[in-house]
Amino acid sequence: MIIVMKHDASKKEIGNLTDHLTTCGYRLTISEGVERTVIGAIGDESLLKGKQVQTFPGVDEIIPISKPYKLVSREFKKEDTVIDIKGVKIGSKELAVMSGPCSVESLEQARTIALKTSAKGSKILRGGAYKPRTSPYSFQGMGPEGLIYLRKAADEFGMIVVTELTDPRDLDIVSEYADIIQIGARNMQNFRLLHEVGAQEKPVLLKRGMSATIKEFLLAAEHIAKEGNSNIILCERGIRTFETYTRNTLDLACVPAIKSLSHLPIIVDPSHGTGRIECIGPMALAAVAAGADGLMLEVHPNPDEALSDGDQSLTPDQYCEVIDKVEIIAKAVGREIAK
């Protein structure tokens, strides 16, 4: 529930209420506005033991949260969440552009991509050091060495790092090198993994599962938020349908839908969402027009030689062409690309 305090509620009255709710096992989020204080309380109503919150001095209004996902719902928090990571703001007017290879292959590769993309709107270097692949014989990533390459390239060109965590046992080393921890589509409902990243402070990029509904997607985010980490970035990356021409069906209707249901920022990955070079640019433009807070684009210096997902990787020059067009759409919808 959401508890709106009266504009003249005293600190003592607010403290008495929050102390009681905490004693009853409620988890609280307190927002102190200019005119009044709003308290978000998550827990079992039966724990109040017959004591009506409405009777506490200073309480003005009680608003129940109807959604099964509480902490990430728009009911819980009306204003958009903006996540600030070393000055890079995700969910703000400025579009967050994440670029890089599916898999880190060498320091030279990471540097080449960072050099080109950082000069053209990307402040976030993405790349996989640990890769969950469908085939056990496919390249599984470089592990810790890949993390080192990502960090070195990002630091050299003033970028931050997002990379995927696939195993809770690797959380410490991934956290050491990454600024954003990615949970991939295959792990969207790996609840042990969600709880682990929820219990630490690094922002989390949560990708939608390939067969997940919007409700299931938001409930997965709720698992993270419930553990204490509210710095969650959602990512639409396509869902599996009967269509086989594209790798997935990019569900751009998910963007405005989630914007109405949740306060969390959402970005779009048209690379995984389509798997086809000719579709990535147009879908990137459509994503921005639909209200996405950013884009994740796979970029590789030599896609034909990529160890994974070369078919859906833009060259640095193709990336720059896409961003030139994205800038036009961004301006039309009141957004902008980083300079």
Side-chain angles (χ1 to χ4, degrees):
M1 58 185 159
I2 297 170
I3 306 161
V4 182
M5 304 299 292
K6 294 177 180 178
H7 67 88
D8 59 351
S10 66
K11 290 186 177 180
K12 182 178 179 181
E13 290 172 336
I14 295 170
N16 288 339
L17 176 58
T18 56
D19 287 347
H20 181 74
L21 291 171
T22 301
T23 300
C24 290
Y26 275 72
R27 178 190 168 142
L28 306 180
T29 299
I30 302 173
S31 176
E32 296 182 354
V34 176
E35 296 186 0
R36 60 181 65 196
T37 296
V38 177
I39 302 169
I42 303 295
D44 184 352
E45 288 188 30
S46 65
L47 296 174
L48 289 172
K49 303 172 185 177
K51 179 73 171 179
Q52 295 297 317
V53 174
Q54 188 70 58
T55 65
F56 274 78
V59 172
D60 183 30
E61 184 182 8
I62 307 294
I63 304 171
I65 301 176
S66 60
K67 299 291 188 299
Y69 38 88
K70 310 296 184 183
L71 297 169
V72 305
S73 72
R74 182 68 73 177
E75 290 173 292
F76 186 77
K77 183 183 177 186
K78 295 295 184 183
E79 65 273 14
D80 292 339
T81 289
V82 177
I83 300 172
D84 190 332
I85 311 162
K86 298 180 179 178
V88 178
K89 295 182 179 180
I90 302 173
S92 66
K93 180 180 179 181
E94 189 173 275
L95 292 175
V97 181
M98 306 179 184
S99 61
C102 176
S103 298
V104 182
E105 299 167 7
S106 67
L107 178 57
E108 180 183 3
Q109 174 223 36
R111 287 190 71 258
T112 298
I113 296 169
L115 169 65
K116 293 282 188 177
T117 62
S118 64
K120 196 69 172 178
S122 180
K123 291 188 174 182
I124 307 170
L125 182 63
R126 61 141 298 175
Y130 298 91
K131 296 300 300 179
R133 306 298 299 280
T134 302
S135 170
Y137 305 109
S138 298
F139 179 59
Q140 305 291 311
M142 297 184 72
E145 189 176 8
L147 293 174
I148 293 170
Y149 293 160
L150 269 177
R151 186 75 264 168
K152 284 185 176 180
D155 287 346
E156 182 176 354
F157 296 100
M159 303 174 80
I160 63 175
V161 169
V162 57
T163 193
E164 185 170 357
L165 174 69
T166 60
D167 189 323
R169 292 172 294 184
D170 297 319
L171 178 58
D172 287 345
I173 189 168
V174 170
S175 297
E176 182 180 348
Y177 292 97
D179 300 294
I180 305 171
I181 298 174
Q182 176 181 312
I183 301 298
R186 290 175 176 84
N187 279 313
M188 190 204 80
Q189 289 185 312
N190 182 338
F191 300 118
R192 164 85 186 278
L193 196 58
L194 298 182
H195 296 164
E196 290 289 338
V197 296
Q200 54 85 57
E201 296 180 350
K202 294 262 179 165
V204 178
L205 175 70
L206 178 66
K207 284 200 163 189
R208 184 182 181 183
M210 62 187 72
S211 300
T213 64
I214 290 173
K215 179 180 177 181
E216 289 166 342
F217 189 18
L218 290 173
L219 280 170
E222 186 78 5
H223 275 274
I224 298 171
K226 184 176 180 293
E227 296 301 317
N229 190 347
S230 60
N231 291 319
I232 305 165
I233 306 150
L234 302 175
C235 180
E236 164 59 37
R237 46 79 70 203
I239 53 176
R240 180 170 289 177
T241 67
F242 55 79
E243 181 54 67
T244 58
Y245 181 77
T246 52
R247 178 175 179 175
N248 294 290
T249 298
L250 190 59
D251 181 17
L252 291 183
C254 170
V255 175
I258 281 182
K259 286 285 186 179
S260 69
L261 295 170
S262 175
H263 56 85
L264 297 177
I266 178 169
I267 69 166
V268 171
D269 178 353
S271 300
H272 280 91
T274 66
R276 301 189 70 91
I277 290 296
E278 71 271 21
C279 295
I280 294 174
M283 289 299 96
L285 301 181
V288 174
D293 295 302
L295 298 167
M296 177 175 275
L297 299 169
E298 290 201 351
V299 182
H300 195 287
N302 300 293
D304 291 341
E305 300 176 9
L307 296 180
S308 61
D309 286 351
D311 291 344
Q312 64 187 41
S313 296
L314 301 169
T315 65
D317 288 342
Q318 289 172 326
Y319 163 84
C320 291
E321 291 173 7
V322 168
I323 295 300
D324 283 338
K325 295 176 182 178
V326 166
E327 285 184 307
I328 298 171
I329 302 299
K331 185 176 180 180
V333 296
R335 308 296 280 264
E336 60 188 19
I337 299 287
K339 300 298 183 182

